[in-house]
Amino acid sequence: MPIQPSLCDRLAAVVGREHVLHRPVDLETYAYDCSFATRLQPYRPDLVVRPGAAAEVAAIVALAGAAGVPVTPRGAGSGQTGGAVAVKGGIVVDLLRLNRVLETDLPNLQVLIEPGVVHRRLDEHLAPRGFFFPPDPGSSQMCTLGGMVANNSSGMRAVKYGTTRNYVLGLEVVLPDGRLIWTGGHNSRALKSVTGYDLTSLFVGSEGTLGIITKIRLKVLPRPAARGVVLAGFAALDDTGQAVAAVFGCGLLPAAIEILDALAIRGILLIQPDAPLSPSYAAVLLFELDGSPAAVAEQAGAVARICTDLGAEVHASTEPTRAEQLLAARRLVGTAAARICPGASRVYDGEDISVPIACIPAALRRIQALAGEMDLPVMTYGHVGDGNLHAAVMADFRDQGALRRAAALAARLHELALELGGSVSAEHGVGLSRAAYVGREHGAALDVMRTVKQALDPRGLLNPGKMDL
Amino acid sequence: MTAWPRTGLPLPESSPDRHGELLACVRCSACRETCPTYITEGREAATPRGRIALMLAEHEGRIAPNAALRAEIDLCLGCRACEAACPVGVPYGRLLEETRARLADRLPRPWWQRWLRRLALDGLIVHPRRLSAVAALARLYQRTRLARLLGPLLPAPISRLHALLPPLSRPRPLPAGAAEGRPAAFFSGCVAAAFLPATNHASVTLLQAAGYKVDIPAGQTCCGALHSHSGDLHGAARLARQNIAAFARTEGPIVTNSAGCGAMLRAYGDLLAADPVDKDRAAAAAARVCDLSQALSSADFAAGHARQRAAGAAPVTVAYQDACHLRNVQGVWREPRRLLAALPGHRLVELPEPSVCCGAAGIYNLMHPAVAAQLQARKLQAALALGAEVLVTANPGCLLHLQAGVRRLGLADRLQVTHLADYLSSCSGRRPKQINDPTGLAATQSSKTSTNSGSKQALASPRKSASAAADE
């Protein structure tokens, strides 16, 4: 739907003319995120508006609503599902200017921030004060907290610390009709509250389909004094499953337990050539332990013993710089997948399945079989401690046959997750890429989701075309 | 039609797999926060990911090669901080220059702009004598009342260019080489040779003091960086061949005091990779290139040559500003810091955002003064906030730009901006050039000043001596 010039003028009056983008060279750069779907088919919005305050967001949504124009909120555009792309046209609301930390209330274990704050910036803000926000996505240096809340994303440390949802105390949200509300109590700094429906949880993970988040009250935790890493290389895949079970069985709760398959090990070695890994391993487990230096040393020792007993080659590091280097290489391995296969690029689809922890070795074998069947390289790594596997499919984007096989492979990966009693997305979201699977995963519950959507956004103007709503 | 004269060389217009390299970007946006134009503009099109998306869209025919596209591509400073941040290793700098070359072909600039560029790039900077003549005119202009009379009449880009110039000093021959020592060849550059003769002089003197036998081969010319950055890859290749021939007669490292020149010289192998005759010679020459700070570090220069300061004198707080083409492109950032940290009586402070450009970026500051001025002010304010009294850089472009910023913002009495060579030279205790230089011409400006105050005396204020040098 073409945007009327009068609407442009009114929006310009709200945010300033320089923050209303309409030239093709600007619109082209908001037509994508990381997803395979928008790589195959970019969706140019009709207009991009860049508000600098919550009230401006409310005014934009109200004006767009009056004109019947769809609105799609966007943070860093580092998502992998097309969630922040205007697939039905209309206005993209770029929230990167809303990037302030508004309150740092550490005695009450909380901060109040705007949605455009980048995860790493928040960490840099909290670290010197001795605190941290535990969820740690691999995209820490680019993703925004608004995007994390909207997709309920997490990261490696979800094993011990859970997901973003566990840390959101309250949200300021612009509703589809332009109203501004607070969830979790409009004046509340409570860490615990059971009053009313849990609207905060409703908006966490709603992917911009119910409202636009304009402020976030986040719980933060004291930063552990020490961190350690144990790397264990296994010759047999099934032993990794036993190791994870044995670690939990001994009463140990590592912050993270990561698994890397043989191709991912090669990827890590490209980023961190001196990492103590051998390309001959079938898989590597990476344990992150945190706490007091003594506790870290004790846990690292226990984990190392369990893995050694199972025949693994073990390398433990409690030296902070070294541990951070190994974790950084792990964080970057997904993005660097393309380095492993020159000429190919990473396909972000089917990339975020989760399965019951006990099914991980079986799932890894099935993924490798599918990769062979489709004749595409697939690197798999993930958060074995919570059953989340990232399968990185690589394809030459100029090879139409490879693209078709990649799409088919992604579909098979999603089927696999459902077959094993898992989920098609553990932390990246549904967006455009996985809309077709919400009904399969949720059954009749999808109808309830549609009822909620209908109640809040009867005209379907907020981030339309997502989540099969 | 082409905007640039074709030389008939077998230079590919674009890399064999340009489309593949554009598609290699996975759009993760790890580059976004390192990008200076994202900091000033905030729009996605002003980020590396956005520009790659635009290059791809143009390559695939989804957007036209029009003036709006070129404006976005031209907005990039070419600092290549994004390359250092990219997990995939997308060769952004090469893609950028190829895109500029493509746009120059598909969308010729107006005749007068082409004429001006050719005059500047092919008619001026590659001719040392003409450049010296311009420097002499500029000096005359600075020293007479002409500036006040003509200033208001100059066209905007010329007056911006003029605002960039430091008070110019008289040209002087570079110090004669010592008979002995490890061989090294000095690349004198085009702009530095004409407008910063004292910096070149200091560089050669420092190399000699570090034990090098310095050869300054005749026949060398501009490195070609400005040609390459503006999309004239053929012009750059022509200059590369001339420099390769000139330096073929020398031995040892090819030393430069300019980050931009160093990055270009090191790229000669890539530039001529498609030329079966010259590619090996180009790669060999490129492999010899090193920055002045590397040459001095490897000679362990710092320890013995700096003068001790008086006991009890407050330490001088010095900050080092990374030149993008040194840090991001050549990976040289430890060496200059090591040299500065080794100076007695100095405290080296670390600027925030070390990989973010100061806004100079070749001739970017002339073409995009508003963005350049914002980045310049950011950098200077950051240095002041850390209490820095001296800001050292290792690139003539950054030097002139930051010095102009100090003048523009009235910070001259609080912050001295200087080239690493000039600063090390001003702190130098020995004056080894006397050995080789009976004429006395070899004394650098700054050490001349310190001679006045007595070289045995403690160096009370290095800022004073170097700013006096600049006024010379």
Side-chain angles (χ1 to χ4, degrees):
Chain A
M1 166 190 306
I3 304 254
Q4 298 297 320
S6 59
L7 177 58
C8 284
D9 290 341
R10 284 192 210 113
L11 290 167
V14 172
V15 295
R17 193 154 290 281
E18 73 272 30
H19 298 306
V20 177
L21 312 178
H22 55 80
R23 301 174 310 150
V25 283
D26 275 316
L27 302 179
E28 179 70 26
T29 61
Y30 289 86
Y32 53 77
D33 57 4
C34 290
S35 63
F36 188 50
T38 62
R39 173 71 95 177
L40 298 178
Q41 163 80 58
Y43 297 89
R44 270 193 213 176
D46 295 302
L47 206 63
V48 175
V49 186
R50 311 191 62 237
E56 293 180 9
V57 178
I60 293 164
V61 171
L63 285 170
V69 174
V71 173
T72 302
R74 180 181 177 95
S78 57
Q80 301 176 355
T81 69
V85 177
V87 301
K88 304 280 184 196
I91 298 170
V92 160
V93 178
D94 172 359
L95 297 161
L96 284 176
R97 286 179 65 217
L98 294 172
N99 60 359
R100 287 163 294 190
V101 175
L102 300 171
E103 287 173 18
T104 307
D105 183 6
L106 297 176
N108 287 316
L109 295 178
Q110 56 194 273
V111 291
L112 180 65
I113 60 168
E114 291 185 314
V117 172
V118 170
H119 180 273
R120 187 174 66 177
R121 299 282 172 215
L122 178 63
D123 194 56
E124 286 166 358
H125 178 78
L126 294 171
R129 295 167 168 84
F131 285 80
F132 82 134
F133 167 66
D136 61 331
S139 54
S140 169
Q141 61 178 331
M142 44 271 194
C143 76
T144 63
L145 265 302
M148 286 189 71
V149 173
N151 291 285
N152 186 23
S153 57
S154 44
M156 294 194 270
R157 291 184 203 133
V159 181
K160 179 171 177 178
Y161 293 101
T163 65
T164 299
R165 183 188 305 284
N166 303 114
Y167 298 88
V168 183
L169 299 171
L171 294 170
E172 184 191 64
V173 182
V174 173
L175 296 179
D177 60 7
R179 270 183 300 163
L180 206 59
I181 61 155
W182 267 102
T183 69
H186 67 94
N187 198 24
S188 170
R189 291 174 177 233
L191 292 173
K192 287 170 79 174
S193 164
V194 293
T195 57
Y197 288 149
D198 186 357
L199 293 183
T200 304
S201 264
L202 177 63
F203 283 99
V204 174
S206 66
E207 302 193 15
T209 61
L210 299 179
I212 300 182
I213 296 160
T214 49
K215 288 190 186 71
I216 306 165
R217 191 171 286 284
L218 271 188
K219 181 178 175 181
V220 297
L221 293 183
R223 204 176 186 87
R227 239 174 244 305
V229 168
V230 176
L231 278 174
F234 290 86
L237 200 53
D238 284 313
D239 293 342
T240 60
Q242 284 193 44
V244 173
V247 165
F248 287 141
C250 288
L252 292 164
L253 185 56
I257 311 177
E258 296 289 299
I259 190 162
L260 299 148
D261 76 356
L263 209 50
I265 294 167
R266 270 174 56 196
I268 293 256
L269 286 169
L270 283 175
I271 301 169
Q272 192 79 54
D274 62 344
L277 295 172
S278 158
S280 66
Y281 298 144
V284 162
L285 289 181
L286 183 156
F287 298 83
E288 183 190 355
L289 308 145
D290 63 3
S292 70
V296 168
E298 190 191 323
Q299 292 176 67
V303 169
R305 267 193 306 281
I306 290 169
C307 295
T308 308
D309 289 348
L310 284 164
E313 278 183 43
V314 173
H315 172 92
S317 179
T318 49
E319 195 272 310
T321 321
R322 185 67 182 150
E324 184 41 49
Q325 275 178 355
L326 293 171
L327 291 169
R330 156 59 196 90
R331 275 195 287 271
L332 284 175
V333 74
T335 322
R339 278 189 199 250
I340 298 171
C341 303
S345 196
R346 170 117 188 240
V347 173
Y348 284 103
D349 198 357
E351 84 294 346
D352 186 39
I353 61 168
S354 79
V355 298
I357 297 176
C359 296
I360 291 252
L364 282 172
R365 261 194 295 273
R366 292 278 296 276
I367 291 170
Q368 281 316 315
L370 285 172
E373 196 180 317
M374 296 291 178
D375 192 24
L376 289 171
V378 178
M379 165 179 111
T380 310
Y381 59 97
H383 318 310
V384 63
D386 55 29
N388 184 187
L389 284 178
H390 298 307
V393 178
M394 283 161 274
D396 183 336
F397 279 58
R398 290 159 298 178
D399 178 347
Q400 292 305 318
L403 292 183
R404 272 192 300 276
R405 295 199 304 279
L409 178 50
R412 298 281 292 275
L413 289 165
H414 289 141
E415 302 284 348
L416 174 67
L418 295 176
E419 179 198 322
L420 294 175
S423 171
V424 293
S425 181
E427 57 184 11
H428 294 174
V430 174
L432 180 64
S433 306
R434 285 183 268 273
Y437 297 93
V438 184
R440 303 259 319 269
E441 191 170 323
H442 290 275
L446 176 59
D447 295 334
V448 180
M449 294 185 204
R450 287 179 177 149
T451 307
V452 173
K453 167 76 174 175
Q454 183 68 23
L456 286 175
D457 183 18
R459 290 192 293 161
L461 291 181
L462 221 53
N463 204 1
K466 310 291 165 65
M467 290 173 73
D468 202 19
L469 293 167
Chain B
M1 75 170 280
T2 65
W4 301 100
R6 292 292 183 206
T7 54
L9 299 170
L11 189 78
E13 187 196 38
S14 58
S15 57
D17 192 18
R18 178 178 156 80
H19 195 196
E21 286 178 349
L22 288 169
L23 287 168
C25 170
V26 294
R27 300 177 164 172
C28 69
S29 75
C31 51
R32 185 185 65 242
E33 294 222 328
T34 68
C35 180
T37 57
Y38 171 70
I39 293 170
T40 60
E41 300 281 307
R43 295 175 296 124
E44 172 80 11
T47 70
R49 176 175 74 165
R51 282 189 277 258
I52 289 172
L54 291 177
M55 293 178 201
L56 181 67
E58 191 273 330
H59 189 101
E60 294 178 344
R62 277 181 288 116
I63 56 173
N66 57 20
L69 175 64
R70 173 144 70 199
E72 296 300 342
I73 299 298
D74 281 352
L75 187 67
C76 173
L77 298 114
C79 73
R80 293 164 70 180
C82 50
E83 280 187 26
C86 179
V88 185
V90 176
Y92 177 85
R94 188 165 78 229
L95 291 168
L96 176 76
E97 292 187 0
E98 284 167 7
T99 304
R100 286 180 175 163
R102 272 169 77 90
L103 289 175
D105 274 1
R106 286 163 177 69
L107 184 71
R109 292 182 192 270
W111 67 268
W112 58 272
Q113 278 189 20
R114 274 182 285 153
W115 184 81
L116 270 180
R117 281 196 180 219
R118 271 170 82 162
L119 180 72
L121 295 184
D122 299 330
L124 188 57
I125 63 172
V126 298
H127 297 287
R129 286 210 192 125
R130 293 185 204 167
L131 208 52
S132 312
V134 170
L137 275 176
R139 202 164 58 245
L140 183 71
Y141 177 83
Q142 283 183 344
R143 293 187 172 202
T144 61
R145 300 166 64 85
L146 274 176
R148 244 176 295 166
L149 292 170
L150 289 180
L153 303 176
L154 291 174
I158 303 288
S159 61
R160 266 182 241 143
L161 185 59
H162 178 248
L164 267 187
L165 291 180
L168 294 167
S169 59
R170 209 180 290 282
R172 62 172 79 183
L174 290 169
E180 293 174 2
R182 288 187 288 163
F186 184 68
F187 180 79
S188 45
C190 50
V191 175
F195 290 92
L196 297 167
T199 304
N200 270 1
H201 199 283
S203 305
V204 173
T205 309
L206 290 167
L207 285 169
Q208 289 171 346
Y212 287 100
K213 185 180 100 181
V214 184
D215 193 351
I216 308 168
Q220 61 172 297
T221 183
C222 164
C223 65
L226 292 178
H227 295 73
S228 174
H229 299 336
S230 66
D232 179 14
L233 299 180
H234 292 279
R238 196 177 63 238
L239 297 170
R241 290 191 169 86
Q242 186 178 335
N243 279 321
I244 291 164
F247 282 91
R249 295 184 287 273
T250 64
E251 288 175 67
I254 299 172
V255 183
T256 170
N257 61 16
S258 158
C261 301
M264 185 68 222
L265 295 170
R266 284 189 211 243
Y268 278 0
D270 284 346
L271 184 67
L272 299 181
D275 182 330
V277 182
D278 284 336
K279 66 174 184 189
D280 293 336
R281 275 164 19 116
R288 288 170 60 198
V289 176
C290 85
D291 185 66
L292 177 70
S293 62
Q294 292 177 293
L296 295 179
S297 285
S298 65
D300 197 18
F301 168 80
H305 292 79
R307 189 164 54 250
Q308 294 297 322
R309 298 178 71 243
V316 179
T317 304
V318 55
Y320 174 71
Q321 147 63 19
D322 286 284
C324 298
H325 282 212
L326 206 48
R327 182 188 181 98
N328 302 331
V329 181
Q330 302 183 62
V332 176
W333 50 276
R334 292 183 194 87
E335 292 85 346
R337 287 176 168 78
R338 205 177 291 146
L339 290 166
L340 290 170
L343 289 174
H346 282 71
R347 188 173 70 97
L348 180 65
V349 290
E350 206 39 49
L351 291 175
E353 302 180 335
S355 62
V356 173
C357 181
C358 69
I363 55 166
Y364 187 91
N365 47 1
L366 302 178
M367 312 308 288
H368 297 88
V371 174
Q374 271 188 59
L375 295 168
Q376 179 193 57
R378 230 176 123 85
K379 208 50 101 174
L380 295 172
Q381 300 299 355
L384 286 173
L386 288 169
E389 303 156 81
V390 184
L391 181 59
V392 175
T393 177
N395 186 41
C398 311
L399 176 73
L400 296 178
H401 179 64
L402 291 170
Q403 283 181 337
V406 162
R407 290 194 295 274
R408 180 174 68 89
L409 300 169
L411 304 171
D413 57 336
R414 295 170 63 194
L415 188 66
Q416 173 205 342
V417 179
T418 178
H419 190 285
L420 181 70
D422 292 320
Y423 196 69
L424 291 177
S425 177
S426 77
C427 297
S428 177
R430 278 192 245 157
R431 301 182 59 226
K433 45 265 170 191
Q434 285 174 330
I435 305 163
N436 308 318
D437 187 28
T439 64
L441 276 176
T444 65
Q445 290 179 325
S446 34
S447 59
K448 210 183 234 177
T449 318
S450 54
T451 311
N452 295 341
S453 57
S455 59
K456 283 175 192 158
Q457 237 177 24
L459 184 60
S461 165
R463 179 200 308 172
K464 193 173 173 191
S465 65
S467 58
D471 291 336
E472 188 181 84

